[in-house]
Amino acid sequence: MKVLVIGGGAREHALCRSLSLDPDVTALYCAPGNAGIAEVAELRPVDALDGDAVARLATELDAGLVVVGPEAPLVAGVADAVRAAGIPCFGPSGEAARLEGSKAFAKDVMAGAGVPTARSYVCTTPAEIDEALDAFGAPYVVKDDGLAAGKGVVVTEDVDVARAHALSCGRVVIEEFLDGPEVSLFAITDGTTVLPLQPAQDFKRALDGDAGPNTGGMGAYSPLPWADPKLVDEVLETVLQPTVDELRRRGTPFSGLLYAGLAITSRGVRVIEFNARFGDPETQVVLARLKTPLAGVLLASANGTLDALPPLKWRDDAAVTVVIASHNYPGTPRTGDPIDGLADVAAQDGPDAYVLHAGTRAEGDTVVSAGGRVLSVTATGKDLTAARERAYAALGRIRLDGSQHRTDIALEAARS
């Protein structure tokens, strides 16, 4: 089939890489893509938020499947427009994508489904904000109700910082702090059948030791050697399936990728948040371990035939990805800096280590930075120690002036 991927980050590069290795994919397009995706897919310009434009492009390309990567186009209803044009689309409707687009909506769905999550208040006035902060106490967890590119959440011991963030959001969700390690679990669903993938853990803070501000994610690893082997089955039973069932009951069936951000607390598994798409950087490590060809799984989700698929197959290898970010990220990043060493990684580290592009663009023969998170250096190995060593060895060949990265991705897990 011919496949069109919408988006231009490292998540989309990971998706395009896996799709390019699928023998059933006869042509692969990405819009708008980036400098790295251009190596595995044909790039096309498009306004990713314009559903009609995406549908027209898919029709022109005779695409048999459209995969919408980022959250903003999904919330904007791009998948609806593609389906209205008669083209199978992997991604939820705009209404179902509210599960990510509105924290308050997600809390309401979880309440209806009986899904375990943090106690919370939805606040719209300064008085409500003060009352909620006082009720929960420190550490304060304050979440912008809408989309914020992974940076709408503040967790702080400082009530003034928490209040300032809450006041800047307009509508905000304030909730109790959940203790324990965090886990990301993806599931592919067609609105009825739910197919969980392998769990991963990402690193949200900018600096080593989980210090510094929240980011969109500075690295990830999979599998989780410390996690209960029954974790996936438990989350499927108590979180994923009930949520999909509740959305279908409400008349807003969810088809696509359901991402559960989880806290493994002293009182059991609790949902921190839902996303309506593959997570970045967790997608990089999860897809690195997936042995089953990807296109058929995504098409089965789009066509409502997941129940007919055989069980997914996984590689035994571990995977680690480390994000290289621009100077000043997650503040306003510096862009336009040349990136050197990419060819060295391809020549010396492949196929066990490779670079997935996020914020890059081509200027002639030179690749330059074009965003906050610039590259995801991804590697596999027989265990997390080996995968870490390969990822950081490959990262050491890359030169980007002023760049930053964490040095402790998967370090603690590798020791466990």
Side-chain angles (χ1 to χ4, degrees), residues 209-340:
D210 289 329
N214 251 16
T215 72
M218 296 298 290
Y221 69 91
S222 179
L224 313 182
W226 49 267
D228 187 330
K230 299 177 182 176
L231 175 65
V232 173
D233 290 339
E234 178 187 348
V235 175
L236 175 61
E237 181 181 342
T238 64
V239 174
L240 299 171
Q241 191 71 58
T243 300
V244 169
D245 291 345
E246 172 68 11
L247 285 165
R248 188 176 66 253
R249 185 189 69 78
R250 291 176 177 225
T252 55
F254 188 105
S255 169
L257 195 290
L258 177 59
Y259 166 132
L262 309 165
I264 313 302
T265 78
S266 54
R267 294 173 292 142
V269 174
R270 298 288 186 272
V271 174
I272 301 170
E273 64 176 353
F274 282 126
N275 290 337
R277 39 73 193 180
F278 279 103
D280 181 351
E282 299 98 322
T283 301
Q284 289 86 303
V285 292
V286 172
L287 291 186
R289 300 186 58 223
L290 180 63
K291 204 171 183 178
T292 300
L294 183 61
V297 182
L298 303 186
L299 183 63
S301 166
N303 287 338
T305 57
L306 274 180
D307 60 341
L309 284 186
L312 296 178
K313 295 181 180 179
W314 297 91
R315 296 182 177 88
D316 292 331
D317 283 359
V320 172
T321 193
V322 184
V323 170
I324 298 177
S326 292
H327 175 75
N328 200 45
Y329 179 78
T332 303
R334 190 176 79 199
T335 60
D337 290 310
I339 303 166
D340 296 316

